[in-house]
C-alpha cells in the first residue's frame, strides 16, 4: 500500500467526525486497493495526532451532551432498532462495497453481512431488559448498584471482516450509551465510512460514531495512546495487541483484545470422513483463510488419517477461485501482495521442514485478474508439532493435518500452542465431546461445526489470543462503571465517639 499525494481521478475520503466527512490535517494519502485486481479504488488520509484528538473531542462532547448522553434508555433502544432497520435497507450497497474492498466472494459477504442488523437488535433488547441489583447485606441497610456508561470507546478493526468485527463492538457501544472512535484497517475502510453515513442519516446524533483513517502503526497507535479513552477494543495480531494494550493500560482503560489464533480441529474416527472434510474445507478456506478462527490445524485419528488427507486434498483442488462478484466463485484473493507472500513463505517452510504438500502451495492464476492476490487453497500433511506451520498463524487459505492415536494425544496436540481463541471437535460420542470441550484451551469451541457465532454468545480467547469478551451480557456489562449505593435505613442517633469502647462493628 503506497502513501501518495492526492489524485483527483480517484475518489478521496476524509475522516468522519461530528457527523460528516472532513479532511485530515497532513495532506498525504494512502492508496486503497481492490485485492482482486490490484487497482486503486480510493484514497484515504493518514491521520495525525491532531486528527485523532479532534475525533476524541467530538466523541466526548456527544457522550456528555444532552442529545445522546441525556437520552432515555428506552428512547436509545428504539433508536438503535431504527439503525438496524437502516442497515438492513442498505445491505445491497454494503455487500458490494465490502466485496470490492476486501475481495471476499459476494455470496460469502452477503451471508455474513445479512446477520449484522440483528447484532444491534439484540443489544437494544439488553438495554431495555437491563436491571441493577439490590444486594442483601447485614444490618439496617439498603444496598443497590447503579451502572453508568463508561464513556468513549476506541475501536481498531481489521481487514478480514471489516463490518462484522466493527459491529460486534459498535452494537454494544450504542445500546449502552457510550460513544466511539473507530480506526478501520487502512486496507478496508470503505464500508465503515458508509455505515457511519447511513447511521447519521437515520438519526444517530453527531459525534456518537466517528471514524479516523490511516495506518495502524501510526493512526491506530495515536488512538490507543490517547489519554481520554475509556475502553480499547482491538482485533488484530498478538504483537499489535501488546503494543496497543500497553498504551491503553497507562490510562487504565477497559480492554477487549481479540488477537491471533491457531485453531485446532480434532477429528475422531467415529465421525463420517466426508462430512469431516466438508467442515475442514469450510473452516480452513472461508474468507480465504483470513480469520483468527480459521481451522488451521487438523488433528485426525490415525485410523481415518489417510482417507481424510486424500479427500481434503481433492476438496481443496476443486474449489473455484475467481472474480469475487461472480456467483460461481468460491474463493477470492487474500488482502494484499504482502499477505500472499506470507502464505507462500509458509508453504516453503512446510516443505523445508519435511511436511507433505498435498494441495496448493502456490499462486493461483485467474484469467483477467492477473494483478490480484490469489493463492491456491493449500493443505500440508504429516505436519509435526515442532514445525512452524503447526505453531504460527499463517492467515491465508492454508491448513495442516497431523495424526493422533487417542483422545489424550489429541488434547495434548491441540493445547500445544500459545493461542487459545477457537477449537473444534468432530465426534459422535457425546461424552467425549463434552470432555474434550472442557479440556481444550480455547475461548470458543464448536462441536461438529465451525465459525458459528451469535450476538448472545460470548466471543473471545485466552493466552495470546487476547482478553475480554465481545457479544453477550459479558460485552454489554463491560461498557458500564458499577456504583454501589449503601443507604442506612435505621432511624436512630449515631455518635461513634460518645461510646467508642462499646462499639462492636466498624464496617
Amino acid at each position: 500500500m503506497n502513501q501518495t499525494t492526492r489524485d483527483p481521478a480517484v475518489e478521496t475520503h476524509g475522516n468522519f467526525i461530528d457527523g460528516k466527512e472532513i479532511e485530515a490535517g497532513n495532506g498525504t494519502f494512502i492508496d486503497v486497493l481492490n485485492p482482486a485486481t490490484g487497482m486503486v479504488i480510493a484514497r484515504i488520509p493518514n491521520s495525525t495526532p491532531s486528527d485523532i484528538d479532534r475525533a476524541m473531542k467530538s466523541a466526548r462532547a456527544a457522550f456528555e451532551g444532552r442529545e445522546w448522553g441525556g437520552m432515555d434508555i428506552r428512547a436509545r433502544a428504539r433508536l438503535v432498532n431504527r439503525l438496524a432497520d437502516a442497515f438492513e435497507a442498505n445491505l445491497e450497497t454494503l455487500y458490494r462495497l465490502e466485496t470490492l474492498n476486501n475481495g471476499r466472494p459476494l455470496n460469502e459477504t452477503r451471508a455474513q453481512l445479512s446477520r449484522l442488523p440483528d447484532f444491534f437488535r439484540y443489544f437494544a433488547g439488553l438495554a431495555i431488559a437491563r436491571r441493577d441489583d439490590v444486594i442483601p447485606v447485614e444490618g439496617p441497610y439498603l444496598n443497590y448498584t447503579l451502572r453508568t456508561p463508561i464513556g468513549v470507546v476506541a475501536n481498531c478493526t481489521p481487514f478480514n471482516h471489516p463490518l462484522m468485527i466493527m459491529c460486534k463492538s459498535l452494537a454494544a457501544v450504542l445500546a449502552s450509551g457510550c460513544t466511539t472512535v473507530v480506526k478501520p484497517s487502512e486496507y478496508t475502510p470503505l464500508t465503515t465510512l458508509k455505515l457511519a453515513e447511513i447511521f447519521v442519516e437515520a438519526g444517530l446524533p453527531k459525534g456518537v460514531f466517528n471514524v479516523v483513517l490511516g495506518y495502524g502503526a501510526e493512526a491506530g497507535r495515536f488512538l490507543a495512546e490517547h489519554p481520554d479513552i475509556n475502553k480499547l477494543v482491538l482485533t488484530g495480531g498478538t504483537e499489535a495487541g501488546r503494543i496497543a494494550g500497553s498504551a491503553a493500560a497507562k490510562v487504565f482503560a477497559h480492554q477487549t483484545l481479540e488477537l491471533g489464533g491457531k485453531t485446532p480441529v480434532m477429528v475422531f474416527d467415529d465421525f463420517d470422513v466426508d462430512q469431516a472434510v466438508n467442515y475442514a474445507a469450510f473452516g480452513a478456506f472461508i474468507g480465504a483463510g483470513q480469520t483468527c478462527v480459521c481451522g488451521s490445524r487438523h488433528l485426525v485419528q490415525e485410523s481415518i488419517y489417510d482417507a481424510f488427507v486424500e479427500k481434503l486434498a481433492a476438496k481443496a483442488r476443486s474449489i473455484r477461485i475467481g472474480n469475487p462478484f461472480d456467483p460461481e466463485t468460491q474463493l477470492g484473493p487474500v488482502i494484499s501482495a504482502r499477505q500472499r507472500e506470507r502464505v507462500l513463505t509458509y508453504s516453503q517452510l512446510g516443505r523445508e521442514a519435511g511436511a507433505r504438500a498435498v494441495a496448493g502451495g502456490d499462486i493461483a492464476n485467474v484469467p483477467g485478474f492477473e494483478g490480484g492476490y490469489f493463492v491456491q487453497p493449500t493443505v500440508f500433511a504429516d505436519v509435526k508439532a515442532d514445525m512452524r506451520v503447526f505453531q504460527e498463524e499463517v492467515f491465508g487459505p492454508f491448513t495442516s493435518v497431523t495424526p493422533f492415536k487417542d483422545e489424550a494425544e489429541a488434547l495434548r496436540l491441540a493445547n500445544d500452542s500459545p493461542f487459545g481463541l477457537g477449537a473444534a471437535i468432530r465426534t459422535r460420542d457425546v461424552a467425549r465431546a463434552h470432555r474434550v470441550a472442557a479440556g481444550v484451551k480455547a475461548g470458543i469451541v464448536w462441536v461438529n461445526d465451525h465459525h458459528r457465532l451469535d450476538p448472545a454468545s460470548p466471543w473471545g480467547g485466552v493466552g495470546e489470543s487476547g482478553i475480554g469478551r465481545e457479544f453477550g451480557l459479558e460485552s454489554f456489562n463491560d461498557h458500564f462503571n458499577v456504583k454501589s449505593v449503601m443507604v442506612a435505613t435505621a432511624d436512630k442517633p449515631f455518635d461513634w465517639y460518645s461510646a467508642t469502647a462499646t462499639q462492636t462493628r466498624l464496617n
Side-chain angles (χ1 to χ4, degrees), residues 150 157 202 273 369 394 398:
I150 58 173
T157 62
V273 174
F369 292 83
V394 178
F398 184 108

Side-chain angles (χ1 to χ4, degrees), residues 441-502:
K441 295 176 182 177
I444 310 150
V445 181
W446 295 281
V447 177
N448 301 339
D449 213 324
H450 207 102
H451 271 296
R452 304 301 178 185
L453 56 77
D454 189 275
S457 180
W459 179 281
V462 298
E464 293 192 6
S465 288
I467 59 172
R469 293 295 180 268
E470 293 181 291
F471 284 156
L473 283 168
E474 291 82 357
S475 172
F476 186 68
N477 288 339
D478 197 44
H479 287 79
F480 294 91
N481 289 318
V482 179
K483 181 184 300 183
S484 177
V485 180
M486 185 79 74
V487 182
T489 58
D491 185 17
K492 63 180 182 180
F494 173 78
D495 184 354
W496 173 270
Y497 293 103
S498 69
T500 304
T502 62

Side-chain angles (χ1 to χ4, degrees), residues 265-278:
V265 180
M266 291 164 275
V267 183
F268 291 91
D269 62 7
D270 62 340
F271 196 81
D272 179 76
V273 174
D274 290 321
Q275 191 63 37
V277 164
N278 290 338

Side-chain angles (χ1 to χ4, degrees), residues 285 296-300 305 308-309 312-313 316 343-362 376-384 387 389-390 394 397-403:
F285 304 131
S296 53
R297 291 186 295 149
H298 284 86
L299 313 174
V300 182
Y305 177 79
F308 180 92
V309 168
L312 181 57
V343 178
L344 298 178
T345 296
Y346 275 97
S347 294
Q348 184 60 32
L349 289 170
R351 294 185 182 98
E352 290 172 356
R356 180 165 50 103
V358 296
D362 206 347
Q376 296 170 347
T378 298
V379 181
F380 273 83
D382 306 342
V383 172
K384 294 180 172 57
M387 294 180 181
V389 294
F390 186 94
V394 178
F398 184 108
T399 194
S400 68
V401 192
T402 301

